[in-house]
Amino acid sequence: SKGVGQFSNFLYPRIFESELYFFRKHRGNLQANICAIFVEGAMILRILFTIPLFIIGVNRMYFQKRILTYWRVFCLARDKLYEKNS
């Protein structure tokens, strides 16, 4: 099994997707939208802090995957923010 501190390109988006689902289901649309906005901001910050490591060239494939995963989470939050509320 993987260590707790290791990054998972597969699980990372699922964690935020379930977090957004929880807020929409149990806290309502307003709090779910606020959560999605914070997730978007966090992903932009993570991308901005990871890009220099990618540019430097230290373990480029690892940081490229991280940037793509952060972008996926950002897009997921954006989709949840603008989906129709039922």
Side-chain angles (χ1 to χ4, degrees):
S1 70
K2 290 188 174 188
V4 172
Q6 289 186 340
F7 185 81
S8 172
N9 295 327
F10 175 75
L11 290 178
Y12 202 72
R14 302 312 179 277
I15 291 168
F16 285 100
E17 186 174 27
S18 64
E19 181 179 291
L20 294 170
Y21 174 78
F22 171 83
F23 273 94
R24 181 130 358 250
K25 182 175 180 183
H26 296 288
R27 302 291 186 210
N29 291 329
L30 177 63
Q31 287 188 9
N33 290 340
I34 292 169
C35 180
I37 290 168
F38 277 109
V39 168
E40 287 177 346
M43 292 306 111
I44 291 297
L45 287 175
R46 288 174 188 230
I47 289 170
L48 290 176
F49 285 120
T50 307
I51 286 175
L53 298 171
F54 173 75
I55 292 172
I56 291 171
V58 179
N59 203 354
R60 287 187 79 136
M61 289 298 287
Y62 174 76
F63 289 112
Q64 179 183 12
K65 288 179 183 177
R66 271 200 141 167
I67 291 168
L68 291 174
T69 301
Y70 293 150
W71 182 251
R72 274 190 223 115
V73 174
F74 174 84
C75 292
L76 180 128
R78 175 67 55 170
D79 291 345
K80 295 291 180 186
L81 186 59
Y82 292 112
E83 76 182 4
K84 289 195 173 194
N85 303 321
S86 42

Short mmCIF file of all heavy atoms in Angstrom, two decimals, residues 14 27 45 58:
data_model
loop_
_atom_site.label_atom_id
_atom_site.label_comp_id
_atom_site.label_asym_id
_atom_site.label_seq_id
_atom_site.Cartn_x
_atom_site.Cartn_y
_atom_site.Cartn_z
N ARG A 14 -10.90 12.53 -6.70
CA ARG A 14 -12.05 11.87 -6.07
C ARG A 14 -12.33 12.44 -4.68
O ARG A 14 -13.47 12.56 -4.25
CB ARG A 14 -11.83 10.36 -5.96
CG ARG A 14 -11.56 9.59 -7.25
CD ARG A 14 -12.53 9.90 -8.34
NE ARG A 14 -12.29 9.21 -9.58
CZ ARG A 14 -11.43 9.55 -10.53
NH1 ARG A 14 -10.62 10.55 -10.36
NH2 ARG A 14 -11.37 8.91 -11.66
N ARG A 27 -25.17 20.43 3.27
CA ARG A 27 -25.07 21.82 3.69
C ARG A 27 -25.79 22.80 2.77
O ARG A 27 -25.90 23.96 3.09
CB ARG A 27 -23.60 22.25 3.79
CG ARG A 27 -22.77 21.43 4.73
CD ARG A 27 -23.19 21.69 6.15
NE ARG A 27 -22.30 20.99 7.05
CZ ARG A 27 -22.66 20.53 8.22
NH1 ARG A 27 -23.89 20.69 8.63
NH2 ARG A 27 -21.80 19.91 8.99
N LEU A 45 -3.47 28.09 -6.71
CA LEU A 45 -2.26 28.30 -5.92
C LEU A 45 -1.30 27.12 -6.02
O LEU A 45 -0.09 27.31 -6.16
CB LEU A 45 -2.62 28.56 -4.46
CG LEU A 45 -3.25 29.92 -4.15
CD1 LEU A 45 -3.67 30.00 -2.70
CD2 LEU A 45 -2.28 31.04 -4.48
N VAL A 58 13.42 19.32 -11.85
CA VAL A 58 13.57 18.29 -10.83
C VAL A 58 12.37 17.35 -10.93
O VAL A 58 11.25 17.76 -10.65
CB VAL A 58 13.64 18.92 -9.42
CG1 VAL A 58 13.77 17.87 -8.35
CG2 VAL A 58 14.77 19.92 -9.35
#
